[in-house]
Amino acid sequence: MAIMTVADMWFDPSCPYTWLTARWLMEVRKVRPVEVRWHVMSLSVLNEGRDDDPEGDPEGYLWVPVRICAAVQRDHGQQALERLYTALWTTGTGDWIGDLRTALATAGLPVELAEAGLGNDYDDVVRASHAEGIGLIGGDHVGTPIVAVDGGRVVFFGPVVSRVPTGEQAARLWDGTLLVAGTPGFHELKGRPHEEPQM
């Protein structure tokens, strides 16, 4: 019997490339003995104090979905967070997250949790979860997502994909990523320039 591998993924729910990586992990667990655990991180926190705004979010809207996800992570658990994350990207138009209340209802969660996005009651939860993920990989050279395998035995940013590998292709990317990221002294690998995400 194969030994179960645990993959902890830190994600900002508003990032389309991160959503594609999450879908890849969902495919991986169909073909490899992998359990995925979900944790929030925040592009808003990551970019605090920068002179530029790489996300183009001067009003701070990106705080809203991550606060809601933090509320779900803390108060409703892993399975609920996965259901909400999936609903955020499957109940909208397909190119960005949909209506937050609709996503909450689809995930079987109280729609009143949408209010958590408008206050700062869950900011400490966001910051603590974010710090945990960043602390595993170190430095400020990464973004979302961060994946830690088996408690941090192997940690990597990404992979950043513009389309979701499935089946054996998903498995090969998983195996190869673990091989490369688990090599002592490995730091970075990049592919071709970004394509638009294919949702």
Short mmCIF file of all heavy atoms in Angstrom, two decimals, residues 24-94:
data_model
loop_
_atom_site.label_atom_id
_atom_site.label_comp_id
_atom_site.label_asym_id
_atom_site.label_seq_id
_atom_site.Cartn_x
_atom_site.Cartn_y
_atom_site.Cartn_z
N TRP A 24 -4.46 21.62 -10.51
CA TRP A 24 -3.45 20.60 -10.81
C TRP A 24 -3.27 19.67 -9.62
O TRP A 24 -3.24 18.44 -9.77
CB TRP A 24 -2.13 21.27 -11.20
CG TRP A 24 -0.94 20.37 -11.13
CD1 TRP A 24 -0.69 19.28 -11.93
CD2 TRP A 24 0.16 20.46 -10.22
NE1 TRP A 24 0.51 18.69 -11.56
CE2 TRP A 24 1.04 19.41 -10.52
CE3 TRP A 24 0.49 21.34 -9.20
CZ2 TRP A 24 2.24 19.21 -9.81
CZ3 TRP A 24 1.67 21.15 -8.51
CH2 TRP A 24 2.52 20.10 -8.81
N LEU A 25 -3.16 20.23 -8.41
CA LEU A 25 -3.03 19.38 -7.22
C LEU A 25 -4.25 18.49 -7.03
O LEU A 25 -4.12 17.33 -6.59
CB LEU A 25 -2.80 20.23 -5.97
CG LEU A 25 -1.40 20.78 -5.78
CD1 LEU A 25 -1.34 21.67 -4.55
CD2 LEU A 25 -0.37 19.66 -5.68
N MET A 26 -5.42 19.00 -7.36
CA MET A 26 -6.63 18.17 -7.29
C MET A 26 -6.55 17.01 -8.28
O MET A 26 -7.04 15.92 -8.01
CB MET A 26 -7.87 19.02 -7.54
CG MET A 26 -8.16 20.04 -6.45
SD MET A 26 -9.56 21.11 -6.92
CE MET A 26 -9.48 22.34 -5.62
N GLU A 27 -5.92 17.26 -9.43
CA GLU A 27 -5.70 16.18 -10.41
C GLU A 27 -4.64 15.21 -9.91
O GLU A 27 -4.79 13.99 -10.07
CB GLU A 27 -5.27 16.78 -11.76
CG GLU A 27 -6.36 17.52 -12.49
CD GLU A 27 -7.47 16.60 -12.97
OE1 GLU A 27 -7.17 15.47 -13.41
OE2 GLU A 27 -8.64 17.01 -12.91
N VAL A 28 -3.57 15.74 -9.30
CA VAL A 28 -2.50 14.88 -8.81
C VAL A 28 -3.03 13.86 -7.82
O VAL A 28 -2.67 12.67 -7.88
CB VAL A 28 -1.37 15.73 -8.16
CG1 VAL A 28 -0.40 14.86 -7.37
CG2 VAL A 28 -0.63 16.53 -9.23
N ARG A 29 -3.92 14.29 -6.93
CA ARG A 29 -4.39 13.34 -5.90
C ARG A 29 -5.26 12.24 -6.48
O ARG A 29 -5.54 11.26 -5.79
CB ARG A 29 -5.07 14.09 -4.76
CG ARG A 29 -6.37 14.73 -5.11
CD ARG A 29 -6.88 15.54 -3.94
NE ARG A 29 -8.15 16.14 -4.29
CZ ARG A 29 -8.76 17.05 -3.57
NH1 ARG A 29 -8.22 17.48 -2.44
NH2 ARG A 29 -9.91 17.54 -3.94
N LYS A 30 -5.67 12.37 -7.74
CA LYS A 30 -6.39 11.27 -8.39
C LYS A 30 -5.44 10.17 -8.84
O LYS A 30 -5.87 9.03 -9.03
CB LYS A 30 -7.15 11.80 -9.63
CG LYS A 30 -8.25 12.78 -9.33
CD LYS A 30 -8.86 13.28 -10.64
CE LYS A 30 -9.91 14.36 -10.42
NZ LYS A 30 -10.41 14.90 -11.72
N VAL A 31 -4.16 10.52 -9.07
CA VAL A 31 -3.23 9.56 -9.66
C VAL A 31 -2.01 9.28 -8.79
O VAL A 31 -1.17 8.45 -9.15
CB VAL A 31 -2.77 10.04 -11.07
CG1 VAL A 31 -3.93 9.98 -12.04
CG2 VAL A 31 -2.19 11.44 -11.01
N ARG A 32 -1.90 9.97 -7.67
CA ARG A 32 -0.82 9.74 -6.71
C ARG A 32 -1.43 9.76 -5.31
O ARG A 32 -2.44 10.43 -5.08
CB ARG A 32 0.26 10.82 -6.79
CG ARG A 32 1.09 10.83 -8.07
CD ARG A 32 2.01 9.62 -8.13
NE ARG A 32 2.91 9.66 -9.28
CZ ARG A 32 2.66 9.10 -10.46
NH1 ARG A 32 1.49 8.48 -10.66
NH2 ARG A 32 3.54 9.15 -11.43
N PRO A 33 -0.83 9.04 -4.35
CA PRO A 33 -1.37 9.05 -2.98
C PRO A 33 -1.01 10.36 -2.27
O PRO A 33 -0.07 10.42 -1.48
CB PRO A 33 -0.69 7.83 -2.34
CG PRO A 33 0.60 7.69 -3.08
CD PRO A 33 0.32 8.14 -4.49
N VAL A 34 -1.75 11.42 -2.59
CA VAL A 34 -1.48 12.76 -2.08
C VAL A 34 -2.73 13.30 -1.40
O VAL A 34 -3.83 13.25 -1.97
CB VAL A 34 -1.04 13.72 -3.21
CG1 VAL A 34 -0.90 15.14 -2.69
CG2 VAL A 34 0.27 13.25 -3.83
N GLU A 35 -2.55 13.80 -0.19
CA GLU A 35 -3.59 14.53 0.52
C GLU A 35 -3.23 16.00 0.46
O GLU A 35 -2.10 16.38 0.79
CB GLU A 35 -3.67 14.08 1.97
CG GLU A 35 -4.63 14.92 2.82
CD GLU A 35 -4.47 14.66 4.31
OE1 GLU A 35 -3.77 13.71 4.69
OE2 GLU A 35 -5.06 15.43 5.09
N VAL A 36 -4.17 16.86 0.03
CA VAL A 36 -3.92 18.29 -0.06
C VAL A 36 -4.57 18.99 1.13
O VAL A 36 -5.75 18.75 1.42
CB VAL A 36 -4.44 18.89 -1.38
CG1 VAL A 36 -4.13 20.38 -1.47
CG2 VAL A 36 -3.86 18.15 -2.58
N ARG A 37 -3.80 19.84 1.81
CA ARG A 37 -4.33 20.67 2.88
C ARG A 37 -4.16 22.13 2.46
O ARG A 37 -3.11 22.51 1.92
CB ARG A 37 -3.60 20.39 4.20
CG ARG A 37 -3.81 18.96 4.68
CD ARG A 37 -3.27 18.72 6.08
NE ARG A 37 -1.87 19.11 6.21
CZ ARG A 37 -1.04 18.61 7.12
NH1 ARG A 37 -1.47 17.69 7.97
NH2 ARG A 37 0.21 19.01 7.19
N TRP A 38 -5.18 22.93 2.74
CA TRP A 38 -5.26 24.29 2.22
C TRP A 38 -5.02 25.33 3.30
O TRP A 38 -5.49 25.17 4.42
CB TRP A 38 -6.65 24.50 1.61
CG TRP A 38 -6.99 23.43 0.63
CD1 TRP A 38 -7.70 22.29 0.87
CD2 TRP A 38 -6.61 23.36 -0.75
NE1 TRP A 38 -7.79 21.52 -0.26
CE2 TRP A 38 -7.12 22.16 -1.27
CE3 TRP A 38 -5.87 24.21 -1.57
CZ2 TRP A 38 -6.94 21.79 -2.60
CZ3 TRP A 38 -5.68 23.84 -2.90
CH2 TRP A 38 -6.21 22.64 -3.40
N HIS A 39 -4.31 26.37 2.93
CA HIS A 39 -3.98 27.47 3.85
C HIS A 39 -4.00 28.77 3.06
O HIS A 39 -3.56 28.81 1.90
CB HIS A 39 -2.58 27.29 4.44
CG HIS A 39 -2.32 25.92 4.98
ND1 HIS A 39 -2.57 25.59 6.30
CD2 HIS A 39 -1.83 24.80 4.39
CE1 HIS A 39 -2.23 24.32 6.49
NE2 HIS A 39 -1.79 23.83 5.35
N VAL A 40 -4.43 29.84 3.70
CA VAL A 40 -4.45 31.12 3.00
C VAL A 40 -3.11 31.83 3.11
O VAL A 40 -2.37 31.66 4.08
CB VAL A 40 -5.58 32.05 3.51
CG1 VAL A 40 -6.94 31.46 3.22
CG2 VAL A 40 -5.41 32.38 4.98
N MET A 41 -2.81 32.58 2.07
CA MET A 41 -1.76 33.59 2.10
C MET A 41 -2.33 34.79 1.38
O MET A 41 -3.43 34.71 0.82
CB MET A 41 -0.45 33.09 1.51
CG MET A 41 -0.45 32.81 0.03
SD MET A 41 1.17 32.27 -0.58
CE MET A 41 2.19 33.71 -0.32
N SER A 42 -1.62 35.90 1.38
CA SER A 42 -2.22 37.12 0.86
C SER A 42 -1.23 37.92 0.03
O SER A 42 -0.15 38.29 0.51
CB SER A 42 -2.72 37.98 2.02
OG SER A 42 -3.05 39.27 1.59
N LEU A 43 -1.62 38.21 -1.21
CA LEU A 43 -0.82 39.11 -2.04
C LEU A 43 -0.78 40.50 -1.43
O LEU A 43 0.23 41.20 -1.56
CB LEU A 43 -1.40 39.16 -3.46
CG LEU A 43 -1.19 37.89 -4.29
CD1 LEU A 43 -2.05 37.91 -5.54
CD2 LEU A 43 0.29 37.72 -4.64
N SER A 44 -1.84 40.90 -0.75
CA SER A 44 -1.85 42.21 -0.10
C SER A 44 -0.79 42.27 0.99
O SER A 44 -0.06 43.27 1.11
CB SER A 44 -3.23 42.50 0.48
OG SER A 44 -4.20 42.57 -0.54
N VAL A 45 -0.69 41.22 1.79
CA VAL A 45 0.34 41.18 2.83
C VAL A 45 1.72 41.10 2.19
O VAL A 45 2.65 41.80 2.59
CB VAL A 45 0.11 39.98 3.78
CG1 VAL A 45 1.28 39.81 4.74
CG2 VAL A 45 -1.19 40.17 4.56
N LEU A 46 1.85 40.27 1.16
CA LEU A 46 3.14 40.08 0.50
C LEU A 46 3.68 41.40 -0.04
O LEU A 46 4.89 41.64 0.00
CB LEU A 46 2.97 39.08 -0.65
CG LEU A 46 4.25 38.61 -1.34
CD1 LEU A 46 5.07 37.71 -0.42
CD2 LEU A 46 3.90 37.88 -2.63
N ASN A 47 2.79 42.26 -0.53
CA ASN A 47 3.22 43.49 -1.20
C ASN A 47 3.18 44.73 -0.30
O ASN A 47 3.42 45.83 -0.77
CB ASN A 47 2.37 43.73 -2.44
CG ASN A 47 2.60 42.65 -3.48
OD1 ASN A 47 3.73 42.22 -3.71
ND2 ASN A 47 1.53 42.19 -4.11
N GLU A 48 2.88 44.54 0.98
CA GLU A 48 2.86 45.68 1.89
C GLU A 48 4.22 46.37 1.91
O GLU A 48 5.26 45.72 1.92
CB GLU A 48 2.50 45.23 3.31
CG GLU A 48 1.04 45.03 3.52
CD GLU A 48 0.69 44.57 4.93
OE1 GLU A 48 1.51 43.89 5.57
OE2 GLU A 48 -0.43 44.88 5.37
N GLY A 49 4.18 47.70 1.91
CA GLY A 49 5.41 48.46 2.01
C GLY A 49 6.14 48.67 0.70
O GLY A 49 7.18 49.32 0.67
N ARG A 50 5.61 48.10 -0.39
CA ARG A 50 6.26 48.31 -1.69
C ARG A 50 5.86 49.65 -2.27
O ARG A 50 4.75 50.13 -2.05
CB ARG A 50 5.85 47.20 -2.67
CG ARG A 50 6.40 45.84 -2.29
CD ARG A 50 6.00 44.78 -3.27
NE ARG A 50 6.43 45.12 -4.62
CZ ARG A 50 6.68 44.22 -5.56
NH1 ARG A 50 6.56 42.94 -5.31
NH2 ARG A 50 7.05 44.60 -6.76
N ASP A 51 6.76 50.25 -3.02
CA ASP A 51 6.46 51.53 -3.66
C ASP A 51 5.48 51.36 -4.82
O ASP A 51 4.67 52.24 -5.09
CB ASP A 51 7.75 52.19 -4.17
CG ASP A 51 8.65 52.63 -3.03
OD1 ASP A 51 8.13 52.91 -1.93
OD2 ASP A 51 9.87 52.70 -3.25
N ASP A 52 5.57 50.22 -5.51
CA ASP A 52 4.64 49.96 -6.61
C ASP A 52 3.53 49.04 -6.12
O ASP A 52 3.58 48.51 -5.03
CB ASP A 52 5.37 49.33 -7.80
CG ASP A 52 5.99 47.98 -7.45
OD1 ASP A 52 6.27 47.75 -6.25
OD2 ASP A 52 6.22 47.18 -8.36
N ASP A 53 2.50 48.88 -6.94
CA ASP A 53 1.38 48.00 -6.60
C ASP A 53 1.26 46.96 -7.72
O ASP A 53 0.53 47.17 -8.69
CB ASP A 53 0.09 48.81 -6.46
CG ASP A 53 -1.12 47.94 -6.13
OD1 ASP A 53 -0.95 46.74 -5.87
OD2 ASP A 53 -2.24 48.47 -6.14
N PRO A 54 1.99 45.85 -7.61
CA PRO A 54 1.99 44.89 -8.71
C PRO A 54 0.63 44.27 -8.99
O PRO A 54 0.39 43.77 -10.10
CB PRO A 54 3.00 43.83 -8.26
CG PRO A 54 3.11 43.98 -6.79
CD PRO A 54 2.83 45.41 -6.49
N GLU A 55 -0.27 44.31 -8.03
CA GLU A 55 -1.60 43.72 -8.24
C GLU A 55 -2.62 44.74 -8.72
O GLU A 55 -3.76 44.37 -9.03
CB GLU A 55 -2.10 43.06 -6.95
CG GLU A 55 -1.14 42.06 -6.33
CD GLU A 55 -0.64 41.01 -7.30
OE1 GLU A 55 -1.42 40.56 -8.16
OE2 GLU A 55 0.54 40.64 -7.19
N GLY A 56 -2.26 46.02 -8.75
CA GLY A 56 -3.21 47.05 -9.19
C GLY A 56 -4.45 47.10 -8.32
O GLY A 56 -5.56 47.13 -8.83
N ASP A 57 -4.25 47.13 -7.00
CA ASP A 57 -5.37 47.05 -6.06
C ASP A 57 -5.29 48.16 -5.01
O ASP A 57 -5.18 47.90 -3.82
CB ASP A 57 -5.35 45.67 -5.37
CG ASP A 57 -6.54 45.44 -4.46
OD1 ASP A 57 -7.65 45.89 -4.81
OD2 ASP A 57 -6.35 44.83 -3.40
N PRO A 58 -5.39 49.42 -5.44
CA PRO A 58 -5.25 50.52 -4.46
C PRO A 58 -6.37 50.56 -3.43
O PRO A 58 -6.18 51.07 -2.32
CB PRO A 58 -5.26 51.78 -5.34
CG PRO A 58 -5.95 51.37 -6.59
CD PRO A 58 -5.61 49.91 -6.80
N GLU A 59 -7.54 50.03 -3.75
CA GLU A 59 -8.66 50.04 -2.80
C GLU A 59 -8.60 48.89 -1.81
O GLU A 59 -9.37 48.82 -0.86
CB GLU A 59 -10.01 49.99 -3.54
CG GLU A 59 -10.39 51.29 -4.24
CD GLU A 59 -9.72 51.42 -5.59
OE1 GLU A 59 -9.51 50.39 -6.27
OE2 GLU A 59 -9.38 52.55 -5.97
N GLY A 60 -7.70 47.94 -2.03
CA GLY A 60 -7.57 46.82 -1.10
C GLY A 60 -8.64 45.76 -1.24
O GLY A 60 -8.92 45.02 -0.29
N TYR A 61 -9.23 45.61 -2.44
CA TYR A 61 -10.28 44.61 -2.62
C TYR A 61 -9.76 43.19 -2.39
O TYR A 61 -10.51 42.31 -1.94
CB TYR A 61 -10.92 44.71 -4.01
CG TYR A 61 -11.97 43.63 -4.20
CD1 TYR A 61 -13.21 43.75 -3.59
CD2 TYR A 61 -11.70 42.48 -4.92
CE1 TYR A 61 -14.17 42.74 -3.70
CE2 TYR A 61 -12.65 41.47 -5.04
CZ TYR A 61 -13.88 41.61 -4.43
OH TYR A 61 -14.81 40.60 -4.53
N LEU A 62 -8.48 42.95 -2.69
CA LEU A 62 -7.96 41.59 -2.56
C LEU A 62 -7.98 41.09 -1.12
O LEU A 62 -7.89 39.88 -0.88
CB LEU A 62 -6.53 41.51 -3.11
CG LEU A 62 -6.37 41.77 -4.61
CD1 LEU A 62 -4.92 41.60 -5.03
CD2 LEU A 62 -7.28 40.87 -5.43
N TRP A 63 -8.14 42.01 -0.15
CA TRP A 63 -8.30 41.58 1.23
C TRP A 63 -9.63 40.85 1.45
O TRP A 63 -9.73 39.99 2.33
CB TRP A 63 -8.25 42.79 2.18
CG TRP A 63 -6.88 43.19 2.60
CD1 TRP A 63 -6.13 44.23 2.11
CD2 TRP A 63 -6.08 42.56 3.60
NE1 TRP A 63 -4.92 44.29 2.76
CE2 TRP A 63 -4.87 43.27 3.68
CE3 TRP A 63 -6.28 41.47 4.45
CZ2 TRP A 63 -3.86 42.92 4.57
CZ3 TRP A 63 -5.27 41.12 5.34
CH2 TRP A 63 -4.07 41.85 5.39
N VAL A 64 -10.64 41.19 0.68
CA VAL A 64 -11.99 40.67 0.94
C VAL A 64 -12.05 39.15 0.82
O VAL A 64 -12.43 38.46 1.78
CB VAL A 64 -13.04 41.38 0.06
CG1 VAL A 64 -14.42 40.76 0.26
CG2 VAL A 64 -13.06 42.88 0.36
N PRO A 65 -11.70 38.56 -0.33
CA PRO A 65 -11.82 37.09 -0.41
C PRO A 65 -10.86 36.35 0.52
O PRO A 65 -11.21 35.28 1.03
CB PRO A 65 -11.53 36.79 -1.89
CG PRO A 65 -10.86 38.00 -2.43
CD PRO A 65 -11.31 39.16 -1.62
N VAL A 66 -9.67 36.91 0.76
CA VAL A 66 -8.73 36.19 1.63
C VAL A 66 -9.20 36.21 3.08
O VAL A 66 -9.02 35.23 3.81
CB VAL A 66 -7.29 36.71 1.46
CG1 VAL A 66 -7.05 38.01 2.21
CG2 VAL A 66 -6.28 35.66 1.89
N ARG A 67 -9.85 37.28 3.50
CA ARG A 67 -10.41 37.31 4.86
C ARG A 67 -11.53 36.28 5.02
O ARG A 67 -11.62 35.61 6.05
CB ARG A 67 -10.94 38.71 5.18
CG ARG A 67 -9.88 39.74 5.46
CD ARG A 67 -10.48 41.12 5.52
NE ARG A 67 -9.52 42.13 5.94
CZ ARG A 67 -9.60 43.40 5.61
NH1 ARG A 67 -10.60 43.84 4.85
NH2 ARG A 67 -8.69 44.26 6.04
N ILE A 68 -12.36 36.18 4.00
CA ILE A 68 -13.45 35.19 4.05
C ILE A 68 -12.87 33.78 4.10
O ILE A 68 -13.31 32.94 4.90
CB ILE A 68 -14.40 35.37 2.86
CG1 ILE A 68 -15.10 36.73 2.94
CG2 ILE A 68 -15.42 34.24 2.80
CD1 ILE A 68 -15.84 37.13 1.68
N CYS A 69 -11.86 33.52 3.28
CA CYS A 69 -11.23 32.20 3.31
C CYS A 69 -10.57 31.93 4.66
O CYS A 69 -10.60 30.80 5.16
CB CYS A 69 -10.21 32.09 2.17
SG CYS A 69 -10.96 31.87 0.55
N ALA A 70 -9.98 32.96 5.27
CA ALA A 70 -9.37 32.79 6.59
C ALA A 70 -10.42 32.45 7.64
O ALA A 70 -10.18 31.61 8.52
CB ALA A 70 -8.60 34.05 6.99
N ALA A 71 -11.58 33.09 7.54
CA ALA A 71 -12.68 32.78 8.46
C ALA A 71 -13.11 31.33 8.32
O ALA A 71 -13.32 30.62 9.31
CB ALA A 71 -13.85 33.72 8.22
N VAL A 72 -13.21 30.87 7.08
CA VAL A 72 -13.60 29.49 6.83
C VAL A 72 -12.50 28.53 7.30
O VAL A 72 -12.79 27.52 7.95
CB VAL A 72 -13.93 29.27 5.33
CG1 VAL A 72 -14.13 27.79 5.02
CG2 VAL A 72 -15.17 30.08 4.96
N GLN A 73 -11.25 28.86 7.01
CA GLN A 73 -10.13 28.02 7.44
C GLN A 73 -10.16 27.85 8.95
O GLN A 73 -10.03 26.73 9.46
CB GLN A 73 -8.81 28.66 7.02
CG GLN A 73 -7.56 27.92 7.49
CD GLN A 73 -6.28 28.63 7.06
OE1 GLN A 73 -6.17 29.11 5.95
NE2 GLN A 73 -5.29 28.66 7.95
N ARG A 74 -10.36 28.93 9.69
CA ARG A 74 -10.31 28.86 11.15
C ARG A 74 -11.55 28.21 11.75
O ARG A 74 -11.46 27.40 12.66
CB ARG A 74 -10.13 30.26 11.74
CG ARG A 74 -9.85 30.19 13.26
CD ARG A 74 -9.84 31.53 13.89
NE ARG A 74 -11.23 31.97 14.11
CZ ARG A 74 -11.55 33.13 14.65
NH1 ARG A 74 -10.61 33.99 14.97
NH2 ARG A 74 -12.81 33.46 14.82
N ASP A 75 -12.72 28.57 11.22
CA ASP A 75 -13.96 28.19 11.90
C ASP A 75 -14.67 26.98 11.30
O ASP A 75 -15.56 26.42 11.94
CB ASP A 75 -14.93 29.38 11.90
CG ASP A 75 -14.35 30.59 12.65
OD1 ASP A 75 -13.45 30.39 13.49
OD2 ASP A 75 -14.79 31.72 12.37
N HIS A 76 -14.30 26.58 10.08
CA HIS A 76 -15.03 25.49 9.42
C HIS A 76 -14.13 24.36 8.90
O HIS A 76 -14.64 23.32 8.50
CB HIS A 76 -15.90 26.04 8.29
CG HIS A 76 -16.95 26.98 8.76
ND1 HIS A 76 -18.19 26.56 9.20
CD2 HIS A 76 -16.94 28.33 8.91
CE1 HIS A 76 -18.91 27.60 9.57
NE2 HIS A 76 -18.17 28.69 9.41
N GLY A 77 -12.83 24.58 8.84
CA GLY A 77 -11.91 23.49 8.52
C GLY A 77 -11.53 23.35 7.06
O GLY A 77 -11.99 24.09 6.18
N GLN A 78 -10.67 22.35 6.83
CA GLN A 78 -10.04 22.10 5.54
C GLN A 78 -11.03 21.81 4.41
O GLN A 78 -10.94 22.39 3.34
CB GLN A 78 -9.08 20.92 5.67
CG GLN A 78 -7.80 21.25 6.38
CD GLN A 78 -6.93 22.13 5.52
OE1 GLN A 78 -6.67 21.83 4.36
NE2 GLN A 78 -6.51 23.24 6.08
N GLN A 79 -11.95 20.90 4.65
CA GLN A 79 -12.87 20.51 3.57
C GLN A 79 -13.75 21.68 3.16
O GLN A 79 -14.02 21.88 1.98
CB GLN A 79 -13.70 19.31 4.00
CG GLN A 79 -12.88 18.03 4.12
CD GLN A 79 -13.71 16.84 4.52
OE1 GLN A 79 -14.86 16.96 4.94
NE2 GLN A 79 -13.13 15.66 4.39
N ALA A 80 -14.17 22.47 4.15
CA ALA A 80 -14.99 23.64 3.84
C ALA A 80 -14.19 24.67 3.05
O ALA A 80 -14.72 25.30 2.12
CB ALA A 80 -15.54 24.26 5.12
N LEU A 81 -12.92 24.84 3.41
CA LEU A 81 -12.09 25.79 2.69
C LEU A 81 -11.89 25.35 1.24
O LEU A 81 -11.97 26.16 0.32
CB LEU A 81 -10.74 25.95 3.39
CG LEU A 81 -9.78 26.97 2.77
CD1 LEU A 81 -10.39 28.36 2.68
CD2 LEU A 81 -8.47 27.01 3.57
N GLU A 82 -11.67 24.06 1.02
CA GLU A 82 -11.55 23.58 -0.36
C GLU A 82 -12.86 23.80 -1.13
O GLU A 82 -12.85 24.22 -2.28
CB GLU A 82 -11.17 22.11 -0.40
CG GLU A 82 -11.05 21.60 -1.83
CD GLU A 82 -10.66 20.14 -1.95
OE1 GLU A 82 -9.97 19.62 -1.05
OE2 GLU A 82 -11.05 19.52 -2.96
N ARG A 83 -13.99 23.52 -0.49
CA ARG A 83 -15.28 23.73 -1.17
C ARG A 83 -15.47 25.19 -1.54
O ARG A 83 -15.90 25.51 -2.66
CB ARG A 83 -16.44 23.26 -0.29
CG ARG A 83 -16.54 21.76 -0.10
CD ARG A 83 -17.89 21.33 0.47
NE ARG A 83 -18.37 22.12 1.57
CZ ARG A 83 -18.12 21.88 2.87
NH1 ARG A 83 -17.36 20.84 3.21
NH2 ARG A 83 -18.63 22.65 3.80
N LEU A 84 -15.13 26.10 -0.62
CA LEU A 84 -15.28 27.52 -0.92
C LEU A 84 -14.32 27.95 -2.02
O LEU A 84 -14.73 28.65 -2.96
CB LEU A 84 -15.03 28.36 0.33
CG LEU A 84 -15.05 29.89 0.08
CD1 LEU A 84 -16.39 30.35 -0.48
CD2 LEU A 84 -14.70 30.64 1.35
N TYR A 85 -13.07 27.54 -1.94
CA TYR A 85 -12.09 27.92 -2.96
C TYR A 85 -12.55 27.45 -4.33
O TYR A 85 -12.49 28.19 -5.32
CB TYR A 85 -10.73 27.32 -2.59
CG TYR A 85 -9.57 27.77 -3.42
CD1 TYR A 85 -9.53 29.02 -4.05
CD2 TYR A 85 -8.47 26.94 -3.58
CE1 TYR A 85 -8.44 29.41 -4.80
CE2 TYR A 85 -7.36 27.34 -4.32
CZ TYR A 85 -7.35 28.57 -4.93
OH TYR A 85 -6.26 28.96 -5.68
N THR A 86 -13.05 26.23 -4.41
CA THR A 86 -13.58 25.72 -5.68
C THR A 86 -14.78 26.53 -6.14
O THR A 86 -14.86 26.92 -7.32
CB THR A 86 -13.96 24.23 -5.53
OG1 THR A 86 -12.79 23.49 -5.16
CG2 THR A 86 -14.54 23.67 -6.81
N ALA A 87 -15.69 26.82 -5.24
CA ALA A 87 -16.88 27.59 -5.61
C ALA A 87 -16.55 29.00 -6.06
O ALA A 87 -17.21 29.54 -6.96
CB ALA A 87 -17.86 27.62 -4.43
N LEU A 88 -15.54 29.60 -5.47
CA LEU A 88 -15.15 30.96 -5.88
C LEU A 88 -14.82 31.02 -7.37
O LEU A 88 -15.10 32.01 -8.03
CB LEU A 88 -13.94 31.44 -5.07
CG LEU A 88 -14.21 31.88 -3.63
CD1 LEU A 88 -12.89 32.09 -2.89
CD2 LEU A 88 -15.06 33.14 -3.59
N TRP A 89 -14.20 29.96 -7.87
CA TRP A 89 -13.75 29.96 -9.26
C TRP A 89 -14.70 29.23 -10.21
O TRP A 89 -14.48 29.27 -11.43
CB TRP A 89 -12.35 29.36 -9.34
CG TRP A 89 -11.34 30.36 -8.87
CD1 TRP A 89 -10.80 30.46 -7.62
CD2 TRP A 89 -10.78 31.41 -9.63
NE1 TRP A 89 -9.94 31.52 -7.57
CE2 TRP A 89 -9.90 32.13 -8.79
CE3 TRP A 89 -10.93 31.84 -10.96
CZ2 TRP A 89 -9.18 33.24 -9.22
CZ3 TRP A 89 -10.20 32.94 -11.39
CH2 TRP A 89 -9.34 33.62 -10.52
N THR A 90 -15.73 28.57 -9.70
CA THR A 90 -16.61 27.82 -10.60
C THR A 90 -18.03 28.38 -10.64
O THR A 90 -18.84 27.89 -11.42
CB THR A 90 -16.66 26.33 -10.19
OG1 THR A 90 -17.07 26.22 -8.83
CG2 THR A 90 -15.30 25.68 -10.38
N THR A 91 -18.32 29.39 -9.82
CA THR A 91 -19.67 29.96 -9.85
C THR A 91 -19.70 31.31 -10.53
O THR A 91 -20.76 31.90 -10.66
CB THR A 91 -20.24 30.11 -8.42
OG1 THR A 91 -19.37 30.95 -7.65
CG2 THR A 91 -20.39 28.77 -7.74
N GLY A 92 -18.54 31.82 -10.98
CA GLY A 92 -18.49 33.12 -11.64
C GLY A 92 -18.43 32.99 -13.14
O GLY A 92 -18.84 31.99 -13.72
N THR A 93 -17.84 33.99 -13.77
CA THR A 93 -17.76 34.03 -15.23
C THR A 93 -16.62 33.19 -15.77
O THR A 93 -16.54 32.98 -16.97
CB THR A 93 -17.58 35.48 -15.71
OG1 THR A 93 -16.35 36.00 -15.15
CG2 THR A 93 -18.74 36.35 -15.29
N GLY A 94 -15.74 32.74 -14.89
CA GLY A 94 -14.65 31.87 -15.33
C GLY A 94 -13.31 32.55 -15.42
O GLY A 94 -12.28 31.89 -15.39
#
